[in-house]
Amino acid sequence: MSRRSGILEFAVLGLLRESPMHGYELRKRLNTSLGVFRAFSYGSLYPCLKTLVANGWLIEEPGTAGEDALATSLSGRRAKIVYRLTAEGKERFEELLDHTGPDAWEDEHFGVRFAFFGQTSRDVRMRVLEGRRSRLEERLEKMRASLARTRERLDDYTLELQRHGMESVEREVRWLNELIESERAGRDQRNDPAAPESPGQSAGGQHRSEDTGGLPRHRGGTRPDPSDDTTK
């Protein structure tokens, strides 16, 4: 399985865990919610769906009349099949959620993994965030070394482009540092019985969602897009 098809499988299973969808609706969510699939086509999606059905991770069901009418008005074609996640498909998605190998912090994969952090355990989130930060720090070091070697041979515009790329990576590293700090602070508070009760805890002192970490408060600027081409 290629990297592209692997992350597509993960994204499809994750979206269908939220609710059953038509193929058209799935493609729309992939394009709008997960930036790495902006230019995605039915030609890539439907073979993936058929494979997931064959594996027993999805089932195909007829859509309701109202759903078909909506799909017809949006796409000009009558969509009759709704894809629903099976119990085995849910187990497969949870297995993929726990994966923290190097692919999880590559540019394309990280953006999709981050989109499903709300369903990911705290320990896995930390491994993915720290792996991503390490990967970007390595990239930043190489970019600085390359710029130092070639600075004198670059014209002003090429030099500015190189600086822009470095600034984009530096910005994402700072963002990752904030996320990692917030995850650690949440874990420390959960493990400290003397810590004051947080808004995410119930009256009995238990978190309503134990694995949900707090995102940092942004003090200015915008959060970097992990799929931004300038970080590659």
Side-chain angles (χ1 to χ4, degrees), residues 78 85 91 186:
R78 192 168 187 79
L85 197 65
E91 291 178 0

Side-chain angles (χ1 to χ4, degrees), residues 12 25 29 40 74 94 128 149 227:
V12 168
E25 187 179 2
R29 289 288 305 277
F40 211 57
L74 292 173
E94 291 172 350
V128 173
R149 290 194 306 270
S227 63

